[in-house]
Amino acid sequence: MPLTSTEIAGRIEDLYGAPLADLTAYAEGQPPGMLSALLGMHHDLALAERSIDFHRDHLARLILPERQIGRHEVAHLLDGARRLAEAVAVRDVQAKSVAAVLQSLARAPAPAPSPPAPSPPLPAPPLPVQSPAHSR
């Protein structure tokens, strides 16, 4: 089953370390980049999910047991089923795409503390100065 927009939102928040609302506000003031692309994909996925809910509910109302289904209603049923199928296809593509992008990204690990720089070697002790030998 494809990931939901709620699961995608959680992954984006984990990746960037901030709530989605904060990330959205931040991205609005930035040039387009990976964050804005992910947020756009999330938005499109959420929109497809709402569309699925709407068309599913519409179809459920059309087939209530007390309703008569005549020629006119059949056309609405077919149209509703087509729109529902399109919304499901869009949701599946969006979920697959954003999941693939998120899988390829990883939160950058915190930089490891660098080991202390080795001390420069101590200079060699000066050699004893030899005085010229006196000849006798």
Side-chain angles (χ1 to χ4, degrees), residues 11-31:
R11 290 190 179 188
I12 293 170
E13 289 173 340
D14 289 345
L15 181 64
Y16 285 90
L20 201 62
D22 293 350
L23 293 172
T24 301
Y26 172 77
E28 288 174 359
Q30 301 298 313

Side-chain angles (χ1 to χ4, degrees), residues 46-135:
L47 184 62
E49 288 173 345
R50 287 192 302 275
S51 183
I52 290 169
D53 292 342
F54 173 81
H55 292 297
R56 185 186 57 230
D57 293 346
H58 179 69
L59 283 173
R61 286 189 305 275
L62 289 174
I63 60 170
L64 288 172
E66 62 272 3
R67 282 187 66 120
Q68 294 289 325
I69 299 179
R71 183 176 305 191
H72 183 70
E73 285 76 21
V74 168
H76 287 292
L77 283 169
L78 291 174
D79 183 58
R82 178 186 58 80
R83 290 174 187 251
L84 178 60
E86 288 172 355
V88 168
V90 168
R91 188 252 347 247
D92 290 351
V93 167
Q94 287 293 336
K96 185 176 180 179
S97 297
V98 72
V101 170
L102 284 169
Q103 186 176 3
S104 73
L105 301 173
R107 188 166 195 184
S114 57
S119 308
L122 295 175
L127 296 173
V129 178
Q130 294 181 356
S131 56
H134 293 283
S135 319

